[in-house]
Amino acid sequence: VLLRWQKSSAVLLVGEGGSGKTGIAAQLASRLMTDNSPVLMLSANTLSRYDPPLGRLQEIVALDVPNLPEALEALAKPGRSVTLIVDQLESIIGTASEDAVLSLLHMVAEKDGHRVLAACRSSDAQRWPRLRELGFSEVPSKPLTSSDVVAHLKKLGLEAPSRMLIELGSNLLNLSFLAKLVDQGTDPSGVDGEAALWDLYFDDLRE
């Protein structure tokens, strides 16, 4: 995605459920914020139930301004890009939010010093003409292979990962949770599913 942004300010991350789109988006947001770059990341699912959706968006991010694109532009400074990341874009198909969110993506992508990343399931992106018309540069998201996951888990010190850990680690977000748990001194070897992994991760955060 970072390399693609060098050629295009607007990137569409496509992949089926569980392929790691949310994990990639979250990791990018974290990396950009570490570099002190303004990032607005949201799930389109939070907007699909509201009309008008951009009013709801301004409420979510506590922007006391009449125009969200103008607010994003105000954050831009020389040498510092503003990034808008929208996950689960397929959730707005056919909703009252569709027009406004797609227009927002287009407007932000057209602004100098701005970047956009939208994540959408491949099957929905392929049959969604209005999304294709935006002309975003596509980057595929694919689950890691079992051998890749095992190699990553071994680097974390999990020398004999269970089949469940390997299955969980094929999702990049889950793999990042496993890495953070190990880094905090928590052994995730006994987790028996995704819900258990997430519970362990957030319990560890609260501690």
Side-chain angles (χ1 to χ4, degrees):
V1 174
L2 291 171
L3 290 175
R4 194 63 61 88
W5 265 334
Q6 294 177 9
K7 299 179 179 179
S8 173
S9 62
V11 172
L12 178 64
L13 183 64
V14 294
E16 292 308 321
S19 62
K21 299 185 298 299
T22 298
I24 291 172
Q27 291 287 346
L28 278 171
S30 177
R31 177 171 176 174
L32 292 170
M33 287 188 291
T34 299
D35 293 336
N36 200 32
S37 295
V39 178
L40 174 59
M41 180 175 176
L42 59 106
S43 170
N45 187 46
T46 63
L47 304 177
S48 61
R49 300 181 299 276
Y50 297 94
D51 187 12
L54 296 192
R56 172 58 179 164
L57 176 54
Q58 291 181 191
E59 177 185 324
I60 291 170
V61 298
L63 290 174
D64 186 21
V65 293
N67 189 303
L68 182 58
E70 287 182 7
L72 293 172
E73 187 171 7
L75 293 172
K77 294 182 179 180
R80 187 176 75 169
S81 296
V82 174
T83 304
L84 172 65
I85 299 175
V86 181
D87 193 20
Q88 295 185 325
L89 195 60
E90 67 279 353
S91 64
I92 65 168
I93 297 175
T95 72
S97 303
E98 183 174 348
D99 286 344
V101 174
L102 291 182
S103 295
L104 174 66
L105 290 171
H106 177 71
M107 284 189 292
V108 174
E110 291 293 304
K111 296 283 188 180
D112 290 337
H114 288 49
R115 295 181 298 199
V116 169
L117 174 65
C120 184
R121 284 198 303 254
S122 301
S123 54
D124 290 305
Q126 290 171 2
R127 60 173 183 263
W128 192 2
R130 295 193 59 198
L131 177 62
R132 314 293 296 189
E133 289 169 3
L134 292 179
F136 284 15
S137 180
E138 288 192 16
V139 172
S141 172
K142 299 178 181 179
L144 295 173
T145 65
S146 295
S147 58
D148 288 336
V149 175
V150 170
H152 283 293
L153 293 175
K154 286 185 175 180
K155 288 180 181 178
L156 298 176
L158 302 170
E159 292 296 332
S162 66
R163 181 176 299 178
M164 176 57 69
L165 276 189
I166 295 171
E167 180 180 333
L168 289 170
S170 64
N171 181 298
L172 290 177
L173 182 58
N174 289 339
L175 187 60
S176 71
F177 284 177
L178 290 168
K180 289 175 182 177
L181 285 168
V182 171
D183 187 56
Q184 294 298 320
T186 301
D187 184 1
S189 299
V191 297
D192 58 3
E194 187 170 71
L197 171 62
W198 285 47
D199 286 344
L200 183 62
Y201 174 74
F202 287 108
D203 286 345
D204 197 68
L205 279 183
R206 284 190 286 270
E207 294 176 2

